[in-house]
Amino acid sequence: MLELTPDELLSTTRAVRKRLDLERPVERDVLEDCLRLAQQAPTGSYLQTWHFIVVTDPDLRAGLAELWRRGCDSYLDRRSVDDVEGMMGRVLAGVFHLRDHLHEVPVHVLPCIRGRTDGASAFRQASVWGSIVPAAWSFMLAARSRGLGTVLTTFHLAHEQEAAELLGIPYDEVMQAALIPVAYSIGTEFKPGVRAPLDSFVHWDRW
Ligand SMILES: Cc1cc2nc3c(=O)[nH]c(=O)nc-3n(C[C@H](O)[C@H](O)[C@H](O)COP(=O)(O)O)c2cc1C
């Protein structure tokens, strides 16, 4: 376990793409500890309708990586890496690095939730997504505290149905929320992200 205060854990759990150790395996019991902690997250239904698919099989990871690449390529133009400067350019370079190496990342974790929200009201959307995303984030925090790097990604969801077929997920009943690549991070020092000042997005009493 890393020696991080709660504030350090919350401020240094970054999107890790380039610093994922592709050679070092991740132990199953470490992943299970993270998943048990994820289960402690809030959920809209006491029935806890979430499911986590932990993918380690190389062929399945290659299949998911291909779907992710297709989602990424239709969303982002690779040439934009050279055109964009500063932080956004660095993020894009990281995204394209992950695009090229995702199949090599030792573990892909897919948080899923029972029930689909296609075309649903904001109330239902919020209730369903709000029942899985906190658990996914808790998993990522628990992973970080154990020296693992993660990044929440959604590119493969452009081809969610194909991913469901690949993994045997009942698509009509279960929705995938993300694909989280998981590997030990190369080094464990991460800095807090650059964020806007509070007064640019916090509203007291009124908008
Ligand atoms: C809903 C959501 C979807 C995301 N989808 C992707 C994705 O498909 N691919 C990717 O590389 N990163 C994805 N990210 C990661 C963000 O790019 C990342 O959280 C953001 O750049 C902030 O990074 P930082 O916390 O290290 O500053 C996603 C994040 C969220 C919250």
Side-chain angles (χ1 to χ4, degrees):
M1 294 281 281
L2 304 185
E3 287 195 9
L4 295 172
T5 65
D7 285 7
E8 285 167 346
L9 177 66
L10 288 167
S11 59
T12 64
T13 302
R14 299 265 65 79
V16 185
R17 301 185 183 91
K18 283 189 170 176
R19 289 174 56 190
L20 296 170
D21 189 335
L22 305 177
E23 306 300 326
R24 184 172 166 193
V26 181
E27 305 84 350
R28 185 181 174 122
D29 60 327
V30 173
L31 292 165
E32 286 177 343
D33 284 347
C34 298
L35 291 164
R36 269 185 217 101
L37 287 163
Q39 270 187 296
Q40 299 297 326
T43 171
S45 161
Y46 75 97
L47 293 174
Q48 300 193 351
T49 51
W50 52 44
H51 293 263
F52 282 76
I53 323 272
V54 184
V55 182
T56 58
D57 178 274
D59 293 338
L60 294 175
R61 283 186 284 126
L64 287 172
E66 177 54 30
L67 298 176
W68 199 98
R69 268 192 283 279
R70 277 164 46 197
C72 176
D73 290 349
S74 53
Y75 185 68
L76 291 176
D77 179 353
R78 183 150 210 154
R79 282 167 305 175
S80 55
V81 179
D82 302 326
D83 299 341
V84 181
E85 289 176 1
M87 196 174 67
M88 204 52 216
R90 283 198 296 280
V91 171
L92 283 178
V95 170
F96 284 111
H97 176 86
L98 184 59
R99 176 202 176 282
D100 294 343
H101 293 279
L102 183 57
H103 58 288
E104 299 166 63
V105 180
V107 183
H108 297 178
V109 171
L110 287 84
C112 302
I113 184 116
R114 195 161 276 284
R116 300 204 63 82
T117 58
D118 313 276
S121 67
F123 168 55
R124 173 144 166 77
Q125 296 268 1
S127 304
V128 174
W129 289 108
S131 292
I132 185 63
V133 173
W137 180 236
S138 288
F139 172 83
M140 293 165 69
L141 292 170
R144 159 78 174 133
S145 72
R146 285 157 178 77
L148 296 164
T150 61
V151 48
L152 191 142
T153 78
T154 50
F155 280 143
H156 89 288
L157 294 177
H159 306 286
E160 185 196 352
Q161 196 153 5
E162 284 174 72
E165 279 160 25
L166 185 70
L167 302 177
I169 300 169
Y171 175 83
D172 293 339
E173 297 156 36
V174 173
M175 199 166 60
Q176 298 161 54
L179 188 163
I180 305 174
V182 184
Y184 279 99
S185 60
I186 298 170
T188 54
E189 283 287 314
F190 291 89
K191 293 195 183 79
V194 177
R195 297 295 189 254
L198 282 194
D199 61 8
S200 67
F201 71 98
V202 178
H203 311 265
W204 293 83
D205 292 331
R206 288 175 195 283
W207 181 268

